[in-house]
Each structure stands twice: as C-alpha cells, then as structure tokens.
Amino acid sequence: MCILARCHLPPSSLVLLSLLVACTMGCIQSIACKPRIRRENIVVYEVSASIDQCPTIIEENSPIVLRYKTPYFRASAGVVMPPVPRNETWVVGWIQACTQMEFYNTYGDIGMSSWEIPELREGRVKAISDSDGVSYPWYGNTTETVTLTGPTSKPSRLTVSMNDNFYPSVTWAVPISNSNTPMLTHITRDQSFITWLVAMNSVTKERIVLQTVRWRMRVDIAVDPDMPLGSRASLMGRSYQEQPHILNYQEPIPPNALGRPNANDAQVLMWRPRRGAPLVVIPPK
C-alpha cells in the first residue's frame, strides 16, 4: 500500500513559488545560452607557409655599402570565427618572434661587426617580438590582422596573411674607421623565427593559438674587396632557403614575444676587433 503525502499551499505561496522557479530557470538559461569563443568553435583552413624559391640578390650599386635582399617568407590562413558576443572584440592575426640571430660581417683579419640582441645572446629570453613596432603584439595591422566586433549574428569567414624578408646595408669599410677603403670579406647571417596564428580578445587579452610555424633564413656571402665595384661579392652555400615547418602542435607564446621592445629596437651593432675590447657602434633604441 502506497501512502502519498500532499502539502496544500495557500494561493499566495503558489504564486511566489512559480515566480522563483521562473527566475531560476531564466538565470540558468541565460548562463547556458551565452555564447563563448572557444578553440573548438574556430575553423582554420588553407594554412600555407613558404619561402620564395629564388636566391638572395646582392646589390653593389653604392661605393659605401653592399646591400642584399633575401627571398620572402610568406604565410596565409583562412579562419572561420563563430558569432562574437555583444561587448566583445576579437582580433585574428599573425604574431612573430625572433628566437635566434647570428649576423656577422667580417673585415679580413682586422675584426668583425655583428648585429646582436643581448637578451637572446645571453639566454635571458627565449624569444623577442618581431612586431612592426606599432601594432604590438601583432606583426602588422594591414593584411596581418582582422578585427571582429560583437555582436555578430553568424560566423565570420576571413583571411590573414603576412610576409617578411631581409634587405640590409653593410659597409664596405670598417664601420669604426674614417677610411672608405673596402675591407669587407664575408657576410654570415642565420636567423630563426616562430610565427603564430592567434585569435585574441581585445578586452580580456585571452589568446587562442590556432597555428604555429617555425622558419629560418640564412645568408652566406663571400667578398673580395680588391675587385672592382659590381664584381666583389658572390653568394655561397645553398641557393634556396629551407622551407618553413607548419607544426602539428601549438607552441606557447613567450611573454617577450608580445610587447616592447621589438627585435629592431633591441638589437645593437658591435665592433669586435681581432685584438682588443669590443665596442658598441650603435646602441639599442
């Protein structure tokens, strides 16, 4: 035999209970239904990363400096972002950092000049920002990023792309000398980078790493300073660069890759004589 107990509430209590249940359900639905940007809701497609299949170009047009222009590193990706909630702004784009740099210009047996990033050389940081110096933490703010401001009612399809190369000048003469006599005999450069495709909440600074690319650029130029201008320098080693690696896992972004200083502002030009103490030629900015 089953005995059921019944509780009879007065009408006023029933109304109050109904309001309480309705309010509670409304709060639960509000929490459950509020959209949130998550990695699993973001689609990344057609990711590409490459270095142009052409050799570094050497320019001997100036009696003061040699210039060289490396092929371009290029990266591009398509991204589908879910609807962005009200009062949220998300930026999708490329962040790049330098992780290693060797840049030596040798002047016979006199010595060499070198562009160095002390923080990297001394191991104080793992990477340093390679931003344009304005758009931190982004590499740039034209094709490199897209901004989405909520509310958006449907998914947004976008494309972000970037490119990078080297186009420096190296003096024919010893950089600390008053002489214009050509003494340059060799240029060696070896630089490595990590490039991240990232979605970031502009207000909370929440970051979602979508793709990681590692790449490297190397330059090896032999110079005969006794030859006439226009026929002094020749490219050594491999003619084409190693292609970038699109990783199948995501690397975290070190703090120094996100803010000041960038690599250009942090680097210093040193003169390192064969004999004697090194000298700062151009300090960091």
Side-chain angles (χ1 to χ4, degrees), residues 62-120:
S62 166
I64 307 300
V65 296
L66 173 151
R67 302 197 74 187
Y68 65 84
K69 186 175 184 179
T70 67
Y72 279 92
F73 163 78
R74 305 179 191 274
S76 178
V79 179
V80 178
M81 288 289 288
V84 176
R86 186 181 303 276
N87 299 326
E88 288 192 16
T89 297
W90 284 77
V91 181
V92 179
W94 296 101
I95 294 174
Q96 180 164 283
C98 174
T99 58
Q100 174 262 341
M101 183 172 82
E102 297 176 2
F103 187 175
Y104 305 120
N105 308 310
T106 304
Y107 295 83
D109 59 359
I110 301 172
M112 69 177 184
S113 66
S114 62
W115 283 103
E116 304 172 7
I117 300 176
E119 293 87 348
L120 279 181

Side-chain angles (χ1 to χ4, degrees), residues 6-18:
R6 295 185 179 180
C7 178
H8 297 279
L9 297 175
S12 59
S13 298
L14 287 173
V15 172
L16 182 60
L17 180 61
S18 299

Side-chain angles (χ1 to χ4, degrees), residues 52-67:
D52 292 349
Q53 290 290 303
C54 60
T56 294
I57 298 172
I58 302 171
E59 299 179 0
E60 294 188 38
N61 303 319
S62 166
I64 307 300
V65 296
L66 173 151
R67 302 197 74 187

Side-chain angles (χ1 to χ4, degrees), residues 117-165:
I117 300 176
E119 293 87 348
L120 279 181
R121 187 190 69 234
E122 297 164 9
R124 286 184 277 144
V125 299
K126 294 182 178 180
I128 193 160
S129 169
D130 197 32
S131 167
D132 60 5
V134 177
S135 310
Y136 293 100
W138 308 104
Y139 181 74
N141 64 357
T142 53
T143 63
E144 299 87 357
T145 59
V146 172
T147 301
L148 300 173
T149 301
T152 58
S153 59
K154 57 183 180 179
S156 301
R157 184 182 297 267
L158 54 94
T159 301
V160 286
S161 62
M162 62 162 287
N163 62 70
D164 190 13
N165 81 325

Side-chain angles (χ1 to χ4, degrees), residues 108-272:
D109 59 359
I110 301 172
M112 69 177 184
S113 66
S114 62
W115 283 103
E116 304 172 7
I117 300 176
E119 293 87 348
L120 279 181
R121 187 190 69 234
E122 297 164 9
R124 286 184 277 144
V125 299
K126 294 182 178 180
I128 193 160
S129 169
D130 197 32
S131 167
D132 60 5
V134 177
S135 310
Y136 293 100
W138 308 104
Y139 181 74
N141 64 357
T142 53
T143 63
E144 299 87 357
T145 59
V146 172
T147 301
L148 300 173
T149 301
T152 58
S153 59
K154 57 183 180 179
S156 301
R157 184 182 297 267
L158 54 94
T159 301
V160 286
S161 62
M162 62 162 287
N163 62 70
D164 190 13
N165 81 325
F166 306 153
Y167 194 17
S169 300
V170 181
T171 58
W172 294 110
V174 174
I176 62 167
S177 170
N178 293 324
S179 170
N180 290 326
T181 304
M183 301 294 290
L184 179 67
T185 55
H186 208 119
I187 297 171
T188 303
R189 187 167 183 174
D190 186 351
Q191 204 160 345
S192 299
F193 300 87
I194 304 179
T195 307
W196 294 272
L197 177 65
V198 178
M200 185 173 76
N201 186 313
S202 295
V203 177
T204 66
K205 304 305 178 184
E206 175 189 358
R207 293 184 302 275
I208 303 173
V209 177
L210 306 174
Q211 193 70 63
T212 306
V213 178
R214 280 186 171 270
W215 63 282
R216 181 181 186 183
M217 191 79 77
R218 286 180 281 187
V219 176
D220 188 3
I221 298 173
V223 182
D224 184 347
D226 296 326
M227 294 293 288
L229 182 67
S231 55
R232 294 174 183 166
S234 56
L235 199 63
M236 307 296 290
R238 59 189 299 168
S239 298
Y240 304 105
Q241 301 292 327
E242 178 185 350
Q243 288 301 304
H245 300 281
I246 301 175
L247 305 185
N248 57 10
Y249 59 92
Q250 308 314 330
E251 295 197 10
I253 306 176
N256 292 83
L258 298 170
R260 299 178 187 276
N262 67 352
N264 286 340
D265 289 348
Q267 67 184 357
V268 55
L269 180 62
M270 299 292 299
W271 169 250
R272 298 187 178 277

